[in-house]
Amino acid sequence: MPTVEEYQSKIKRVLITKEEIDAAIVKAGKYIDSLYDGRPILLVSVLKGAFVFMADLCRAVSVPCEIGFMCAKSYYEGTVSSGVVKITMDLDREIEGYHVIIVEDIIDTGRTLNDLVQVLKARNPLSLRVVSLLDKPSRRLVDFKGDYTLFTIPDHFVIGYGLDCAEYYRNLPYIAEYGE
Ligand code: IMP
Ligand code: MG
């Protein structure tokens, strides 16, 4: 376990402030409201990274809204572009009849979401979209595009606002670059 000095020294610099996140979430909420125009939605958050984003985003939408959580991990061999997504915790209901939005923390290689979208599509939701807090397009290994991204960032490892490094830093109220 790190000392508090080690812990703090790895927070290299703030990339996105709490105020910038708050403003972007207001916009994302309005985007969702305008798309669904009063129709009920189900927000599905991928744990653990998206839990903070989910908590704020769900309070920024005005359409009737349910929330659900799942845990998913993708496994790959070598350089294959599609893998086996292992659902380690599944939704507690069927999604047939729901307009579903997957709420993700970050699109990196794109593999997790690519696989997860296939899994959820097979369950026949009325519609399925992906809203992601962050996107690192330069890291993409599969051709995946979210429907709405709040911030596009360069190839830095980032922490805070739900995102971790070895499970630490999820509780930072801003997004920072991690490093020596
Ligand atoms: P992908 O399948 O490569 O797109 O993986 C996405 C997952 O990797 C995210 O949901 C994060 O949990 C994790 N991840 C990717 N980049 C970062 C980062 O910069 N900081 C923290 N976690 C990250
Ligand atoms: Mg993670």
Side-chain angles (χ1 to χ4, degrees), residues 24-43 53-67 101 103 131 148:
I25 286 182
V26 169
K27 273 174 70 182
K30 287 189 175 140
Y31 162 80
I32 291 171
D33 285 346
S34 68
L35 265 184
Y36 295 92
D37 193 25
R39 284 171 296 173
I41 57 172
L42 171 63
L43 297 177
F53 179 40
M54 172 69 140
D56 284 340
L57 184 66
C58 73
R59 287 177 288 178
V61 301
S62 312
V63 291
C65 163
E66 292 182 46
I67 59 169
I101 303 178
V103 178
V131 172
Y148 190 94

PDB file of all heavy atoms in Angstrom, residues 24-43 53-67 101 103 131 148:
ATOM      1  N   ALA A  24     -20.327  19.891 -18.549  1.00  0.00           N
ATOM      2  CA  ALA A  24     -20.495  18.910 -19.638  1.00  0.00           C
ATOM      3  C   ALA A  24     -21.657  17.962 -19.328  1.00  0.00           C
ATOM      4  O   ALA A  24     -22.349  17.508 -20.242  1.00  0.00           O
ATOM      5  CB  ALA A  24     -19.198  18.134 -19.835  1.00  0.00           C
ATOM      6  N   ILE A  25     -21.863  17.679 -18.067  1.00  0.00           N
ATOM      7  CA  ILE A  25     -22.958  16.771 -17.694  1.00  0.00           C
ATOM      8  C   ILE A  25     -24.323  17.450 -17.898  1.00  0.00           C
ATOM      9  O   ILE A  25     -25.275  16.807 -18.343  1.00  0.00           O
ATOM     10  CB  ILE A  25     -22.768  16.248 -16.261  1.00  0.00           C
ATOM     11  CG1 ILE A  25     -21.638  15.206 -16.288  1.00  0.00           C
ATOM     12  CG2 ILE A  25     -24.054  15.642 -15.704  1.00  0.00           C
ATOM     13  CD1 ILE A  25     -21.324  14.541 -14.992  1.00  0.00           C
ATOM     14  N   VAL A  26     -24.396  18.731 -17.631  1.00  0.00           N
ATOM     15  CA  VAL A  26     -25.646  19.459 -17.905  1.00  0.00           C
ATOM     16  C   VAL A  26     -25.987  19.330 -19.395  1.00  0.00           C
ATOM     17  O   VAL A  26     -27.124  19.034 -19.784  1.00  0.00           O
ATOM     18  CB  VAL A  26     -25.523  20.951 -17.491  1.00  0.00           C
ATOM     19  CG1 VAL A  26     -26.704  21.762 -18.013  1.00  0.00           C
ATOM     20  CG2 VAL A  26     -25.425  21.066 -15.975  1.00  0.00           C
ATOM     21  N   LYS A  27     -24.968  19.508 -20.248  1.00  0.00           N
ATOM     22  CA  LYS A  27     -25.170  19.388 -21.705  1.00  0.00           C
ATOM     23  C   LYS A  27     -25.577  17.973 -22.090  1.00  0.00           C
ATOM     24  O   LYS A  27     -26.477  17.775 -22.920  1.00  0.00           O
ATOM     25  CB  LYS A  27     -23.874  19.754 -22.448  1.00  0.00           C
ATOM     26  CG  LYS A  27     -23.740  21.234 -22.722  1.00  0.00           C
ATOM     27  CD  LYS A  27     -22.405  21.586 -23.323  1.00  0.00           C
ATOM     28  CE  LYS A  27     -22.221  21.096 -24.757  1.00  0.00           C
ATOM     29  NZ  LYS A  27     -20.844  21.447 -25.253  1.00  0.00           N
ATOM     30  N   ALA A  28     -24.933  16.982 -21.497  1.00  0.00           N
ATOM     31  CA  ALA A  28     -25.242  15.581 -21.820  1.00  0.00           C
ATOM     32  C   ALA A  28     -26.681  15.263 -21.410  1.00  0.00           C
ATOM     33  O   ALA A  28     -27.407  14.560 -22.124  1.00  0.00           O
ATOM     34  CB  ALA A  28     -24.263  14.648 -21.118  1.00  0.00           C
ATOM     35  N   GLY A  29     -27.114  15.782 -20.265  1.00  0.00           N
ATOM     36  CA  GLY A  29     -28.491  15.573 -19.803  1.00  0.00           C
ATOM     37  C   GLY A  29     -29.498  16.157 -20.791  1.00  0.00           C
ATOM     38  O   GLY A  29     -30.510  15.538 -21.113  1.00  0.00           O
ATOM     39  N   LYS A  30     -29.171  17.341 -21.305  1.00  0.00           N
ATOM     40  CA  LYS A  30     -30.066  17.987 -22.279  1.00  0.00           C
ATOM     41  C   LYS A  30     -30.109  17.192 -23.577  1.00  0.00           C
ATOM     42  O   LYS A  30     -31.159  17.074 -24.211  1.00  0.00           O
ATOM     43  CB  LYS A  30     -29.612  19.427 -22.551  1.00  0.00           C
ATOM     44  CG  LYS A  30     -29.913  20.333 -21.366  1.00  0.00           C
ATOM     45  CD  LYS A  30     -29.668  21.797 -21.702  1.00  0.00           C
ATOM     46  CE  LYS A  30     -30.109  22.655 -20.515  1.00  0.00           C
ATOM     47  NZ  LYS A  30     -29.184  23.767 -20.263  1.00  0.00           N
ATOM     48  N   TYR A  31     -28.957  16.657 -23.968  1.00  0.00           N
ATOM     49  CA  TYR A  31     -28.892  15.830 -25.184  1.00  0.00           C
ATOM     50  C   TYR A  31     -29.808  14.616 -25.017  1.00  0.00           C
ATOM     51  O   TYR A  31     -30.596  14.290 -25.908  1.00  0.00           O
ATOM     52  CB  TYR A  31     -27.438  15.398 -25.416  1.00  0.00           C
ATOM     53  CG  TYR A  31     -27.271  14.214 -26.344  1.00  0.00           C
ATOM     54  CD1 TYR A  31     -27.318  14.379 -27.735  1.00  0.00           C
ATOM     55  CD2 TYR A  31     -27.048  12.933 -25.837  1.00  0.00           C
ATOM     56  CE1 TYR A  31     -27.155  13.291 -28.583  1.00  0.00           C
ATOM     57  CE2 TYR A  31     -26.886  11.840 -26.684  1.00  0.00           C
ATOM     58  CZ  TYR A  31     -26.941  12.033 -28.054  1.00  0.00           C
ATOM     59  OH  TYR A  31     -26.788  10.954 -28.882  1.00  0.00           O
ATOM     60  N   ILE A  32     -29.736  13.968 -23.866  1.00  0.00           N
ATOM     61  CA  ILE A  32     -30.566  12.781 -23.620  1.00  0.00           C
ATOM     62  C   ILE A  32     -32.050  13.167 -23.610  1.00  0.00           C
ATOM     63  O   ILE A  32     -32.880  12.517 -24.233  1.00  0.00           O
ATOM     64  CB  ILE A  32     -30.139  12.089 -22.310  1.00  0.00           C
ATOM     65  CG1 ILE A  32     -28.743  11.463 -22.491  1.00  0.00           C
ATOM     66  CG2 ILE A  32     -31.157  11.031 -21.879  1.00  0.00           C
ATOM     67  CD1 ILE A  32     -28.110  10.932 -21.224  1.00  0.00           C
ATOM     68  N   ASP A  33     -32.376  14.247 -22.918  1.00  0.00           N
ATOM     69  CA  ASP A  33     -33.775  14.703 -22.874  1.00  0.00           C
ATOM     70  C   ASP A  33     -34.317  14.959 -24.273  1.00  0.00           C
ATOM     71  O   ASP A  33     -35.454  14.586 -24.593  1.00  0.00           O
ATOM     72  CB  ASP A  33     -33.894  15.991 -22.058  1.00  0.00           C
ATOM     73  CG  ASP A  33     -33.771  15.724 -20.568  1.00  0.00           C
ATOM     74  OD1 ASP A  33     -33.852  14.550 -20.163  1.00  0.00           O
ATOM     75  OD2 ASP A  33     -33.567  16.695 -19.815  1.00  0.00           O
ATOM     76  N   SER A  34     -33.498  15.593 -25.126  1.00  0.00           N
ATOM     77  CA  SER A  34     -33.994  15.937 -26.464  1.00  0.00           C
ATOM     78  C   SER A  34     -34.144  14.686 -27.327  1.00  0.00           C
ATOM     79  O   SER A  34     -35.058  14.602 -28.143  1.00  0.00           O
ATOM     80  CB  SER A  34     -33.069  16.954 -27.137  1.00  0.00           C
ATOM     81  OG  SER A  34     -31.839  16.337 -27.424  1.00  0.00           O
ATOM     82  N   LEU A  35     -33.260  13.711 -27.144  1.00  0.00           N
ATOM     83  CA  LEU A  35     -33.344  12.482 -27.949  1.00  0.00           C
ATOM     84  C   LEU A  35     -34.574  11.658 -27.617  1.00  0.00           C
ATOM     85  O   LEU A  35     -35.219  11.110 -28.503  1.00  0.00           O
ATOM     86  CB  LEU A  35     -32.130  11.593 -27.646  1.00  0.00           C
ATOM     87  CG  LEU A  35     -30.926  11.668 -28.543  1.00  0.00           C
ATOM     88  CD1 LEU A  35     -29.919  10.622 -28.096  1.00  0.00           C
ATOM     89  CD2 LEU A  35     -31.299  11.432 -29.992  1.00  0.00           C
ATOM     90  N   TYR A  36     -34.861  11.533 -26.335  1.00  0.00           N
ATOM     91  CA  TYR A  36     -35.921  10.601 -25.931  1.00  0.00           C
ATOM     92  C   TYR A  36     -37.269  11.297 -25.779  1.00  0.00           C
ATOM     93  O   TYR A  36     -38.296  10.629 -25.710  1.00  0.00           O
ATOM     94  CB  TYR A  36     -35.501   9.828 -24.669  1.00  0.00           C
ATOM     95  CG  TYR A  36     -34.313   8.941 -24.983  1.00  0.00           C
ATOM     96  CD1 TYR A  36     -33.013   9.398 -24.794  1.00  0.00           C
ATOM     97  CD2 TYR A  36     -34.494   7.692 -25.556  1.00  0.00           C
ATOM     98  CE1 TYR A  36     -31.923   8.605 -25.134  1.00  0.00           C
ATOM     99  CE2 TYR A  36     -33.409   6.899 -25.907  1.00  0.00           C
ATOM    100  CZ  TYR A  36     -32.127   7.368 -25.690  1.00  0.00           C
ATOM    101  OH  TYR A  36     -31.058   6.588 -26.050  1.00  0.00           O
ATOM    102  N   ASP A  37     -37.255  12.617 -25.674  1.00  0.00           N
ATOM    103  CA  ASP A  37     -38.472  13.413 -25.752  1.00  0.00           C
ATOM    104  C   ASP A  37     -39.603  12.850 -24.877  1.00  0.00           C
ATOM    105  O   ASP A  37     -40.708  12.584 -25.360  1.00  0.00           O
ATOM    106  CB  ASP A  37     -38.903  13.471 -27.238  1.00  0.00           C
ATOM    107  CG  ASP A  37     -39.972  14.524 -27.466  1.00  0.00           C
ATOM    108  OD1 ASP A  37     -40.044  15.485 -26.675  1.00  0.00           O
ATOM    109  OD2 ASP A  37     -40.768  14.365 -28.417  1.00  0.00           O
ATOM    110  N   GLY A  38     -39.315  12.615 -23.619  1.00  0.00           N
ATOM    111  CA  GLY A  38     -40.349  12.174 -22.680  1.00  0.00           C
ATOM    112  C   GLY A  38     -40.497  10.663 -22.535  1.00  0.00           C
ATOM    113  O   GLY A  38     -41.161  10.186 -21.623  1.00  0.00           O
ATOM    114  N   ARG A  39     -39.867   9.912 -23.452  1.00  0.00           N
ATOM    115  CA  ARG A  39     -39.986   8.446 -23.342  1.00  0.00           C
ATOM    116  C   ARG A  39     -39.081   7.932 -22.227  1.00  0.00           C
ATOM    117  O   ARG A  39     -37.959   8.423 -22.047  1.00  0.00           O
ATOM    118  CB  ARG A  39     -39.584   7.778 -24.667  1.00  0.00           C
ATOM    119  CG  ARG A  39     -40.652   7.893 -25.738  1.00  0.00           C
ATOM    120  CD  ARG A  39     -40.124   7.420 -27.068  1.00  0.00           C
ATOM    121  NE  ARG A  39     -39.026   8.278 -27.520  1.00  0.00           N
ATOM    122  CZ  ARG A  39     -38.284   8.035 -28.587  1.00  0.00           C
ATOM    123  NH1 ARG A  39     -38.480   6.957 -29.292  1.00  0.00           N
ATOM    124  NH2 ARG A  39     -37.323   8.873 -28.938  1.00  0.00           N
ATOM    125  N   PRO A  40     -39.519   6.933 -21.465  1.00  0.00           N
ATOM    126  CA  PRO A  40     -38.706   6.414 -20.367  1.00  0.00           C
ATOM    127  C   PRO A  40     -37.439   5.714 -20.868  1.00  0.00           C
ATOM    128  O   PRO A  40     -37.453   5.096 -21.943  1.00  0.00           O
ATOM    129  CB  PRO A  40     -39.626   5.387 -19.688  1.00  0.00           C
ATOM    130  CG  PRO A  40     -40.978   5.633 -20.219  1.00  0.00           C
ATOM    131  CD  PRO A  40     -40.836   6.274 -21.557  1.00  0.00           C
ATOM    132  N   ILE A  41     -36.387   5.815 -20.089  1.00  0.00           N
ATOM    133  CA  ILE A  41     -35.117   5.190 -20.460  1.00  0.00           C
ATOM    134  C   ILE A  41     -34.572   4.359 -19.301  1.00  0.00           C
ATOM    135  O   ILE A  41     -34.995   4.511 -18.152  1.00  0.00           O
ATOM    136  CB  ILE A  41     -34.051   6.238 -20.863  1.00  0.00           C
ATOM    137  CG1 ILE A  41     -33.807   7.254 -19.727  1.00  0.00           C
ATOM    138  CG2 ILE A  41     -34.462   6.956 -22.133  1.00  0.00           C
ATOM    139  CD1 ILE A  41     -32.637   8.189 -19.981  1.00  0.00           C
ATOM    140  N   LEU A  42     -33.639   3.482 -19.653  1.00  0.00           N
ATOM    141  CA  LEU A  42     -32.896   2.720 -18.652  1.00  0.00           C
ATOM    142  C   LEU A  42     -31.414   3.041 -18.834  1.00  0.00           C
ATOM    143  O   LEU A  42     -30.840   2.770 -19.893  1.00  0.00           O
ATOM    144  CB  LEU A  42     -33.135   1.217 -18.850  1.00  0.00           C
ATOM    145  CG  LEU A  42     -32.262   0.262 -18.029  1.00  0.00           C
ATOM    146  CD1 LEU A  42     -32.508   0.425 -16.528  1.00  0.00           C
ATOM    147  CD2 LEU A  42     -32.509  -1.193 -18.450  1.00  0.00           C
ATOM    148  N   LEU A  43     -30.817   3.648 -17.808  1.00  0.00           N
ATOM    149  CA  LEU A  43     -29.374   3.916 -17.838  1.00  0.00           C
ATOM    150  C   LEU A  43     -28.656   2.716 -17.237  1.00  0.00           C
ATOM    151  O   LEU A  43     -28.963   2.307 -16.110  1.00  0.00           O
ATOM    152  CB  LEU A  43     -29.035   5.163 -17.013  1.00  0.00           C
ATOM    153  CG  LEU A  43     -29.619   6.493 -17.477  1.00  0.00           C
ATOM    154  CD1 LEU A  43     -29.240   7.603 -16.488  1.00  0.00           C
ATOM    155  CD2 LEU A  43     -29.118   6.851 -18.877  1.00  0.00           C
ATOM    156  N   PHE A  53     -19.901   8.981 -12.533  1.00  0.00           N
ATOM    157  CA  PHE A  53     -20.523   9.602 -13.716  1.00  0.00           C
ATOM    158  C   PHE A  53     -22.015   9.292 -13.751  1.00  0.00           C
ATOM    159  O   PHE A  53     -22.843  10.172 -13.986  1.00  0.00           O
ATOM    160  CB  PHE A  53     -19.799   9.069 -14.957  1.00  0.00           C
ATOM    161  CG  PHE A  53     -20.333   9.589 -16.266  1.00  0.00           C
ATOM    162  CD1 PHE A  53     -20.727  10.911 -16.416  1.00  0.00           C
ATOM    163  CD2 PHE A  53     -20.417   8.743 -17.370  1.00  0.00           C
ATOM    164  CE1 PHE A  53     -21.211  11.368 -17.636  1.00  0.00           C
ATOM    165  CE2 PHE A  53     -20.891   9.194 -18.590  1.00  0.00           C
ATOM    166  CZ  PHE A  53     -21.293  10.509 -18.722  1.00  0.00           C
ATOM    167  N   MET A  54     -22.367   8.044 -13.504  1.00  0.00           N
ATOM    168  CA  MET A  54     -23.773   7.628 -13.492  1.00  0.00           C
ATOM    169  C   MET A  54     -24.570   8.446 -12.462  1.00  0.00           C
ATOM    170  O   MET A  54     -25.672   8.922 -12.748  1.00  0.00           O
ATOM    171  CB  MET A  54     -23.841   6.138 -13.147  1.00  0.00           C
ATOM    172  CG  MET A  54     -25.220   5.624 -12.913  1.00  0.00           C
ATOM    173  SD  MET A  54     -26.169   5.612 -14.428  1.00  0.00           S
ATOM    174  CE  MET A  54     -27.031   4.065 -14.209  1.00  0.00           C
ATOM    175  N   ALA A  55     -23.999   8.601 -11.280  1.00  0.00           N
ATOM    176  CA  ALA A  55     -24.710   9.309 -10.209  1.00  0.00           C
ATOM    177  C   ALA A  55     -25.018  10.746 -10.619  1.00  0.00           C
ATOM    178  O   ALA A  55     -26.104  11.264 -10.337  1.00  0.00           O
ATOM    179  CB  ALA A  55     -23.871   9.290  -8.927  1.00  0.00           C
ATOM    180  N   ASP A  56     -24.087  11.391 -11.308  1.00  0.00           N
ATOM    181  CA  ASP A  56     -24.314  12.771 -11.729  1.00  0.00           C
ATOM    182  C   ASP A  56     -25.185  12.846 -12.982  1.00  0.00           C
ATOM    183  O   ASP A  56     -26.072  13.693 -13.078  1.00  0.00           O
ATOM    184  CB  ASP A  56     -22.978  13.479 -11.971  1.00  0.00           C
ATOM    185  CG  ASP A  56     -22.303  13.852 -10.653  1.00  0.00           C
ATOM    186  OD1 ASP A  56     -22.998  13.919  -9.617  1.00  0.00           O
ATOM    187  OD2 ASP A  56     -21.080  14.079 -10.663  1.00  0.00           O
ATOM    188  N   LEU A  57     -24.920  11.949 -13.942  1.00  0.00           N
ATOM    189  CA  LEU A  57     -25.682  12.006 -15.199  1.00  0.00           C
ATOM    190  C   LEU A  57     -27.170  11.728 -14.980  1.00  0.00           C
ATOM    191  O   LEU A  57     -28.024  12.405 -15.553  1.00  0.00           O
ATOM    192  CB  LEU A  57     -25.107  10.992 -16.216  1.00  0.00           C
ATOM    193  CG  LEU A  57     -25.760  11.025 -17.596  1.00  0.00           C
ATOM    194  CD1 LEU A  57     -25.471  12.353 -18.315  1.00  0.00           C
ATOM    195  CD2 LEU A  57     -25.288   9.853 -18.464  1.00  0.00           C
ATOM    196  N   CYS A  58     -27.471  10.776 -14.105  1.00  0.00           N
ATOM    197  CA  CYS A  58     -28.897  10.442 -13.923  1.00  0.00           C
ATOM    198  C   CYS A  58     -29.660  11.613 -13.302  1.00  0.00           C
ATOM    199  O   CYS A  58     -30.853  11.767 -13.530  1.00  0.00           O
ATOM    200  CB  CYS A  58     -29.074   9.144 -13.123  1.00  0.00           C
ATOM    201  SG  CYS A  58     -28.707   9.264 -11.380  1.00  0.00           S
ATOM    202  N   ARG A  59     -28.939  12.464 -12.565  1.00  0.00           N
ATOM    203  CA  ARG A  59     -29.601  13.631 -11.972  1.00  0.00           C
ATOM    204  C   ARG A  59     -29.681  14.805 -12.935  1.00  0.00           C
ATOM    205  O   ARG A  59     -30.264  15.835 -12.616  1.00  0.00           O
ATOM    206  CB  ARG A  59     -28.883  14.045 -10.685  1.00  0.00           C
ATOM    207  CG  ARG A  59     -29.174  13.066  -9.559  1.00  0.00           C
ATOM    208  CD  ARG A  59     -28.435  13.410  -8.302  1.00  0.00           C
ATOM    209  NE  ARG A  59     -27.016  13.120  -8.438  1.00  0.00           N
ATOM    210  CZ  ARG A  59     -26.111  13.362  -7.491  1.00  0.00           C
ATOM    211  NH1 ARG A  59     -26.489  13.932  -6.351  1.00  0.00           N
ATOM    212  NH2 ARG A  59     -24.850  13.046  -7.671  1.00  0.00           N
ATOM    213  N   ALA A  60     -29.081  14.662 -14.106  1.00  0.00           N
ATOM    214  CA  ALA A  60     -29.126  15.731 -15.111  1.00  0.00           C
ATOM    215  C   ALA A  60     -30.167  15.468 -16.190  1.00  0.00           C
ATOM    216  O   ALA A  60     -30.355  16.294 -17.082  1.00  0.00           O
ATOM    217  CB  ALA A  60     -27.752  15.899 -15.753  1.00  0.00           C
ATOM    218  N   VAL A  61     -30.837  14.299 -16.138  1.00  0.00           N
ATOM    219  CA  VAL A  61     -31.880  14.036 -17.139  1.00  0.00           C
ATOM    220  C   VAL A  61     -33.263  14.248 -16.522  1.00  0.00           C
ATOM    221  O   VAL A  61     -33.453  14.047 -15.318  1.00  0.00           O
ATOM    222  CB  VAL A  61     -31.790  12.609 -17.753  1.00  0.00           C
ATOM    223  CG1 VAL A  61     -30.457  12.394 -18.430  1.00  0.00           C
ATOM    224  CG2 VAL A  61     -32.036  11.534 -16.720  1.00  0.00           C
ATOM    225  N   SER A  62     -34.208  14.649 -17.365  1.00  0.00           N
ATOM    226  CA  SER A  62     -35.566  14.892 -16.871  1.00  0.00           C
ATOM    227  C   SER A  62     -36.570  13.871 -17.370  1.00  0.00           C
ATOM    228  O   SER A  62     -37.700  13.833 -16.890  1.00  0.00           O
ATOM    229  CB  SER A  62     -36.049  16.280 -17.308  1.00  0.00           C
ATOM    230  OG  SER A  62     -35.057  17.221 -17.032  1.00  0.00           O
ATOM    231  N   VAL A  63     -36.202  13.059 -18.370  1.00  0.00           N
ATOM    232  CA  VAL A  63     -37.130  12.017 -18.824  1.00  0.00           C
ATOM    233  C   VAL A  63     -37.234  10.951 -17.731  1.00  0.00           C
ATOM    234  O   VAL A  63     -36.309  10.795 -16.934  1.00  0.00           O
ATOM    235  CB  VAL A  63     -36.667  11.362 -20.156  1.00  0.00           C
ATOM    236  CG1 VAL A  63     -36.781  12.344 -21.303  1.00  0.00           C
ATOM    237  CG2 VAL A  63     -35.253  10.807 -20.043  1.00  0.00           C
ATOM    238  N   PRO A  64     -38.367  10.201 -17.668  1.00  0.00           N
ATOM    239  CA  PRO A  64     -38.473   9.141 -16.664  1.00  0.00           C
ATOM    240  C   PRO A  64     -37.320   8.164 -16.860  1.00  0.00           C
ATOM    241  O   PRO A  64     -37.036   7.747 -17.988  1.00  0.00           O
ATOM    242  CB  PRO A  64     -39.811   8.464 -16.990  1.00  0.00           C
ATOM    243  CG  PRO A  64     -40.576   9.472 -17.791  1.00  0.00           C
ATOM    244  CD  PRO A  64     -39.566  10.290 -18.523  1.00  0.00           C
ATOM    245  N   CYS A  65     -36.663   7.820 -15.773  1.00  0.00           N
ATOM    246  CA  CYS A  65     -35.382   7.133 -15.907  1.00  0.00           C
ATOM    247  C   CYS A  65     -35.203   6.066 -14.844  1.00  0.00           C
ATOM    248  O   CYS A  65     -35.402   6.320 -13.660  1.00  0.00           O
ATOM    249  CB  CYS A  65     -34.323   8.226 -15.794  1.00  0.00           C
ATOM    250  SG  CYS A  65     -32.688   7.678 -15.441  1.00  0.00           S
ATOM    251  N   GLU A  66     -34.872   4.849 -15.300  1.00  0.00           N
ATOM    252  CA  GLU A  66     -34.486   3.789 -14.356  1.00  0.00           C
ATOM    253  C   GLU A  66     -32.984   3.610 -14.461  1.00  0.00           C
ATOM    254  O   GLU A  66     -32.390   3.959 -15.473  1.00  0.00           O
ATOM    255  CB  GLU A  66     -35.175   2.465 -14.725  1.00  0.00           C
ATOM    256  CG  GLU A  66     -36.673   2.486 -14.524  1.00  0.00           C
ATOM    257  CD  GLU A  66     -37.294   1.125 -14.853  1.00  0.00           C
ATOM    258  OE1 GLU A  66     -36.773   0.087 -14.412  1.00  0.00           O
ATOM    259  OE2 GLU A  66     -38.299   1.123 -15.588  1.00  0.00           O
ATOM    260  N   ILE A  67     -32.390   3.038 -13.425  1.00  0.00           N
ATOM    261  CA  ILE A  67     -30.950   2.780 -13.505  1.00  0.00           C
ATOM    262  C   ILE A  67     -30.654   1.313 -13.222  1.00  0.00           C
ATOM    263  O   ILE A  67     -31.378   0.644 -12.479  1.00  0.00           O
ATOM    264  CB  ILE A  67     -30.119   3.673 -12.556  1.00  0.00           C
ATOM    265  CG1 ILE A  67     -30.539   3.470 -11.110  1.00  0.00           C
ATOM    266  CG2 ILE A  67     -30.210   5.130 -12.941  1.00  0.00           C
ATOM    267  CD1 ILE A  67     -29.600   4.098 -10.119  1.00  0.00           C
ATOM    268  N   ILE A 101     -29.427   3.118 -22.405  1.00  0.00           N
ATOM    269  CA  ILE A 101     -28.179   3.861 -22.627  1.00  0.00           C
ATOM    270  C   ILE A 101     -27.108   3.247 -21.734  1.00  0.00           C
ATOM    271  O   ILE A 101     -27.267   3.185 -20.510  1.00  0.00           O
ATOM    272  CB  ILE A 101     -28.301   5.356 -22.275  1.00  0.00           C
ATOM    273  CG1 ILE A 101     -29.433   6.016 -23.067  1.00  0.00           C
ATOM    274  CG2 ILE A 101     -26.979   6.071 -22.538  1.00  0.00           C
ATOM    275  CD1 ILE A 101     -29.630   7.493 -22.719  1.00  0.00           C
ATOM    276  N   VAL A 103     -23.829   3.664 -19.867  1.00  0.00           N
ATOM    277  CA  VAL A 103     -23.087   4.805 -19.326  1.00  0.00           C
ATOM    278  C   VAL A 103     -21.693   4.307 -18.939  1.00  0.00           C
ATOM    279  O   VAL A 103     -21.551   3.518 -18.012  1.00  0.00           O
ATOM    280  CB  VAL A 103     -23.817   5.374 -18.086  1.00  0.00           C
ATOM    281  CG1 VAL A 103     -23.035   6.526 -17.469  1.00  0.00           C
ATOM    282  CG2 VAL A 103     -25.231   5.818 -18.466  1.00  0.00           C
ATOM    283  N   VAL A 131     -23.181   6.346 -23.996  1.00  0.00           N
ATOM    284  CA  VAL A 131     -22.682   7.658 -23.589  1.00  0.00           C
ATOM    285  C   VAL A 131     -21.437   7.427 -22.736  1.00  0.00           C
ATOM    286  O   VAL A 131     -21.469   6.669 -21.768  1.00  0.00           O
ATOM    287  CB  VAL A 131     -23.744   8.438 -22.770  1.00  0.00           C
ATOM    288  CG1 VAL A 131     -23.148   9.710 -22.184  1.00  0.00           C
ATOM    289  CG2 VAL A 131     -24.948   8.785 -23.651  1.00  0.00           C
ATOM    290  N   TYR A 148     -22.279   9.456 -27.786  1.00  0.00           N
ATOM    291  CA  TYR A 148     -22.038  10.776 -27.198  1.00  0.00           C
ATOM    292  C   TYR A 148     -20.870  10.659 -26.217  1.00  0.00           C
ATOM    293  O   TYR A 148     -20.860   9.776 -25.366  1.00  0.00           O
ATOM    294  CB  TYR A 148     -23.284  11.253 -26.451  1.00  0.00           C
ATOM    295  CG  TYR A 148     -23.235  12.695 -26.000  1.00  0.00           C
ATOM    296  CD1 TYR A 148     -23.768  13.709 -26.784  1.00  0.00           C
ATOM    297  CD2 TYR A 148     -22.661  13.042 -24.778  1.00  0.00           C
ATOM    298  CE1 TYR A 148     -23.721  15.034 -26.373  1.00  0.00           C
ATOM    299  CE2 TYR A 148     -22.615  14.370 -24.349  1.00  0.00           C
ATOM    300  CZ  TYR A 148     -23.155  15.364 -25.157  1.00  0.00           C
ATOM    301  OH  TYR A 148     -23.119  16.670 -24.742  1.00  0.00           O
TER     302      TYR A 148
END
